[in-house]
Amino acid sequence: MQGEGGAPAARAAVMVMVAFGLMTWLLASSLGGPGYFLQLGERSEALPLVREHLGPDIPVWSPIGHDGERFWSLARDPLLLEGQPLADQLDRPAYRAQRIAYPLLAAPWRAGGETALLWGLVITNVLVIGAGTYLTGGLAQARGTRSRFVPYAFALNPLVWLSFLFDLSDALALAGLVAAMWAIHRRRSDLVAVSSVVACLAKETSLLGLLVAAGAARGLPWRQRLALVLPGALAAAGWRAYVLTRPGFHEGGSVREFRLVAFSGYLDVWGHGFPDATDWVYLAVTLSILAFSGYVVALWWRDRRDLLLCASVPYALLTPFLAPVVIDVPINSVRVIGPAVTLVAVYLASRRVSPSRREGLATVGESQQP
């Protein structure tokens, strides 16, 4: 971003990092330190090692825990050099290890000790959220939007909050996806390629959005279509091949996260009833995700070649096919649809650009014809 147009995005990025930094301090100081963000469970595979290195008073919040503990284990050994001992800390070693970008980015914090790494995971996510906010502002500016509020579409995304609170890689994956969209508008194939690699190594499902955008968006030169897909796909495939050579990192049993029949997973879950008094929240979240997914598909159907909608629609189309193992924990459904939230927000904001301001602002395809 250049000139005054980048100032709102830069201010938003700073404000977001300050706000998330303050929340980090408040949560850590009141809930048992930075170990809170690991969201450990009593049955966590890594719990004995965590207690060995960080003390027996590390907070434990649930019976089974969440994914943050796996990223902590990977950040201690991002090249998987320990082999079997590291694999024993992961419930699905090959699957967990393929999302290596976030733990690799946080790994240098361990040079300051185990506690520094614990803080580093959170601080890395705060910095990623700031960068994602700035990139979202840049993407909006490239599409003719000057609103000072659009950059916050990244930081206010529920997916980003979950990533921050649970030490997850989703914020980095979304930042990579947004960066790729921004680089397309800036006609920077080199940055498109780098962003593709970051997004796919942070979360493999990022490739879905990149693939559909490359195949369906209007008027992209072939170099940029290839840059959206090939670097990330090759990096993810190459890393996975390496992972499978490491002792203990075999395929093993897999969890069925998707069904072949749409909505069959929801019918199975809802068939059990809602006996718990708090299940109305669960139901509201689930129905909201389905409604938003339908809205994204409807937007895409009306404007099927827009870059951002093409990158969003795969995540919306996945939601009807989720299996009970995903639907049972509503935050997992949020993580599936989450990338579409920020991209659709930027699309809607850019759609409101006045005709007079649109003059000289060609679509992605029109501005990049060779």
Side-chain angles (χ1 to χ4, degrees), residues 45-85:
E45 290 84 358
L47 184 57
L49 187 67
V50 174
R51 285 176 169 164
E52 176 186 340
H53 288 286
L54 298 166
D57 297 329
I58 195 80
V60 176
W61 295 100
S62 67
I64 61 173
H66 290 288
D67 292 351
E69 62 174 286
R70 286 108 190 187
F71 288 113
W72 174 80
S73 295
L74 289 167
R76 297 182 73 250
D77 182 18
L79 298 182
L80 318 181
L81 300 179
E82 290 184 9
Q84 188 67 56

Side-chain angles (χ1 to χ4, degrees), residues 65-121:
H66 290 288
D67 292 351
E69 62 174 286
R70 286 108 190 187
F71 288 113
W72 174 80
S73 295
L74 289 167
R76 297 182 73 250
D77 182 18
L79 298 182
L80 318 181
L81 300 179
E82 290 184 9
Q84 188 67 56
L86 175 59
D88 290 341
Q89 301 167 39
L90 308 172
D91 58 342
R92 300 159 64 188
Y95 172 76
R96 300 297 178 185
Q98 67 191 12
R99 300 178 178 181
I100 198 61
Y102 168 54
L104 184 63
L105 196 60
W109 287 91
R110 195 184 177 202
E114 296 290 352
T115 301
L117 176 60
L118 209 56
W119 280 109
L121 285 163

